[in-house]
Amino acid sequence: VQAMASFIEDCQDEAVAVDVLEALSRLLPASEAAAAPVAAALHRAGGLGLVAPLLRRPRQALRVIALRILAALLPRITDPAEAAGFWLDAQEALLLFPLTEPVRRALLQLMHAVSPTTPAAPWGAGAQAPALLLQLLICCDDSRERLAALQGLVAALADGPRSCRAAFVAHPSWEGLLLEQLVDSAPGVPPQGSDEGSQTHWSWRGPEMHAIRRLLRALAVHSLRC
């Protein structure tokens, strides 16, 4: 594991790096207990410092596999400052690229990589992964991808277990992240009779608006009951 991690860090051949990283990710079984020794070795080999540069690589496959490996690493991170710094780097890196289906799926899966000792920490994946997905939505001009991402968030946060809602509302800006989807800068449909080029009074319509409202309602109710 140490040798593979070192090789990936220095490898400039994107295709070779993908093959090695994929082989490394296959060492992480679905069972948390079975994956623990490999995750521990990855943590010793650099941990979050190994994953962060991969999220800036141009090849999408590298970024997606890195997010999968991140799911195994996060439960081992106990330093809030280390995790918070990583998420800032991850946000800056992923916002360089458009939101795509593989990245969206990886982020939705990452939401469930919650440390059992701090399930609702502001720096945990349950708070930061959906926050990052919402930030990517602001820059996404693919209506199908936006809707798929919102539906995935609804399934996890509105219809999913209470623990997922608790994890996300631990994020200090969760309300603003959702409301930001409704402001003028967000992609949307101009109201009937308005100038399409206008940057004012834009609004969502249809299933996207329905999904945003469901998220706001479910999370607001959860917060009031807690």
Side-chain angles (χ1 to χ4, degrees):
V1 171
Q2 175 73 55
M4 294 172 80
S6 298
F7 177 83
I8 292 166
E9 197 169 10
D10 298 329
C11 182
Q12 297 303 311
D13 188 319
E14 298 276 285
V16 173
V18 168
D19 289 342
V20 175
L21 197 62
E22 185 66 55
L24 186 56
S25 72
R26 286 198 293 269
L27 295 176
L28 294 164
S31 163
E32 184 177 341
V38 181
L42 279 169
H43 185 60
R44 291 192 298 272
L48 298 182
L50 172 67
V51 173
L54 294 172
L55 298 178
R56 294 180 177 274
R57 300 284 280 266
R59 198 177 184 102
Q60 177 179 260
L62 280 173
R63 303 194 301 275
V64 171
I65 301 171
L67 288 171
R68 294 209 309 258
I69 290 175
L70 180 60
L73 286 174
L74 279 176
R76 310 189 70 82
I77 306 301
T78 57
D79 180 1
E82 179 186 7
F86 167 79
W87 284 113
L88 286 174
D89 289 344
Q91 173 187 326
E92 184 178 303
L94 291 177
L95 285 173
L96 295 172
F97 308 98
L99 178 62
T100 59
E101 179 182 355
V103 172
R104 183 233 316 155
R105 290 183 180 276
L107 285 171
L108 288 171
Q109 291 170 359
L110 190 57
M111 289 172 56
H112 303 288
V114 179
S115 170
T117 56
T118 53
W123 47 268
Q128 294 291 339
L132 182 49
L133 186 52
L134 286 168
Q135 287 167 323
L136 286 167
L137 279 178
I138 292 294
C139 307
C140 180
D141 59 2
D142 184 334
S143 60
R144 288 177 298 180
E145 190 54 47
R146 288 199 308 269
L147 179 58
L150 286 168
Q151 288 174 334
L153 289 170
V154 166
L157 298 175
D159 300 333
R162 184 179 181 276
S163 59
C164 288
R165 290 185 288 280
F168 183 51
V169 298
H171 193 290
S173 303
W174 73 264
E175 302 104 319
L177 288 166
L178 280 169
L179 291 172
E180 192 176 1
Q181 306 296 318
L182 306 177
V183 301
D184 295 344
S185 59
V189 179
Q192 191 172 17
S194 68
D195 179 3
E196 272 196 39
S198 171
Q199 295 299 310
T200 59
H201 306 299
W202 281 65
S203 62
W204 295 84
R205 285 199 307 217
E208 291 173 336
M209 173 62 82
H210 178 68
I212 294 170
R213 285 177 173 170
R214 282 201 63 195
L215 285 168
L216 283 167
R217 183 165 55 248
L219 293 166
V221 168
H222 174 90
S223 296
L224 289 172
R225 288 177 176 173
C226 291

